[in-house]
Amino acid sequence: MKTILTSTTLRTTYEFESAHALPRLADGHKCKRVHGHNFKLTVAVSGQVDPESGMLLDYADLDAVVEQHVIGELDHRLLNEVPGLENPTSENIAEWIWTKIVKQFLAFPRLYPQFNRVKTLIVGVSESARYESTFTMDINYYLELEAETLVQGA
């Protein structure tokens, strides 16, 4: 009998309002000045559904992590003042958020046991209706990179 590998993706959206300046742009570029956005954040997780619960991940768990550890840190802030976002391009913001979410879920495996079913996390950050930056990485690949970093640092 042939095994069929399937994947389900859950996607949810959030909003936050923040200001930023892009310090590495050329002098005179309008985005080098402080300006604000009503950011739209899309978070998607992909993996295999648990046959017992019928779920990949509880939306409430995802909401708790994103609202506390992402929105709580970015909403109504000057992003340049957030550690790790000194150059807060939408690309850098998406990667920063991705890392925050993964680290939070991995830090508390007993609190979030369903997260072990998630294989890929996708984070999209939109500054406007026209522009979005998306960051994605396989969770296992991230764990391998982290393990290599620990070995090299030892």
Side-chain angles (χ1 to χ4, degrees):
M1 181 185 221
K2 194 177 209 180
T3 301
I4 300 173
L5 297 178
T6 62
S7 181
T8 297
T9 301
L10 303 179
R11 183 173 283 113
T12 187
T13 60
Y14 307 88
E15 294 180 355
F16 62 96
E17 297 174 358
S18 298
H20 68 158
L22 302 180
R24 297 184 187 164
L25 292 176
D27 289 340
H29 193 291
K30 68 180 184 175
C31 293
K32 191 165 184 168
R33 295 188 303 267
V34 174
H35 61 285
H37 296 285
N38 296 324
F39 286 94
K40 178 182 167 192
L41 169 62
T42 304
V43 177
V45 293
S46 296
Q48 291 187 321
V49 171
D50 177 22
E52 180 73 23
S53 69
M55 299 171 69
L56 168 60
L57 184 67
D58 189 336
Y59 280 119
D61 290 343
L62 187 56
D63 285 347
V65 168
V66 172
E67 289 170 5
Q68 181 178 355
H69 299 281
V70 175
I71 305 300
E73 290 191 42
L74 302 181
D75 192 42
H76 286 81
R77 300 278 168 90
L78 178 60
L79 298 179
N80 302 71
E81 296 175 353
V82 175
L85 288 177
E86 294 78 14
N87 184 34
T89 63
S90 58
E91 297 89 340
N92 288 341
I93 296 167
E95 184 175 355
W96 184 92
I97 292 170
W98 188 97
T99 303
K100 280 292 226 185
I101 293 170
V102 168
K103 285 186 174 183
Q104 188 61 31
F105 274 121
L106 293 174
F108 300 99
R110 288 188 180 162
L111 187 57
Y112 306 114
Q114 290 176 319
F115 190 73
N116 69 356
R117 304 190 74 73
V118 173
K119 302 302 177 207
T120 306
L121 172 65
I122 304 159
V123 170
V125 174
S126 300
E127 296 181 353
S128 70
R130 290 183 60 198
Y131 303 111
E132 179 180 37
S133 176
T134 302
F135 185 85
T136 183
M137 187 187 303
D138 179 86
I139 305 293
N140 288 328
Y141 181 69
Y142 171 78
L143 292 172
E144 289 173 19
L145 291 175
E146 287 293 298
E148 285 179 20
T149 303
L150 289 174
V151 169
Q152 291 173 358

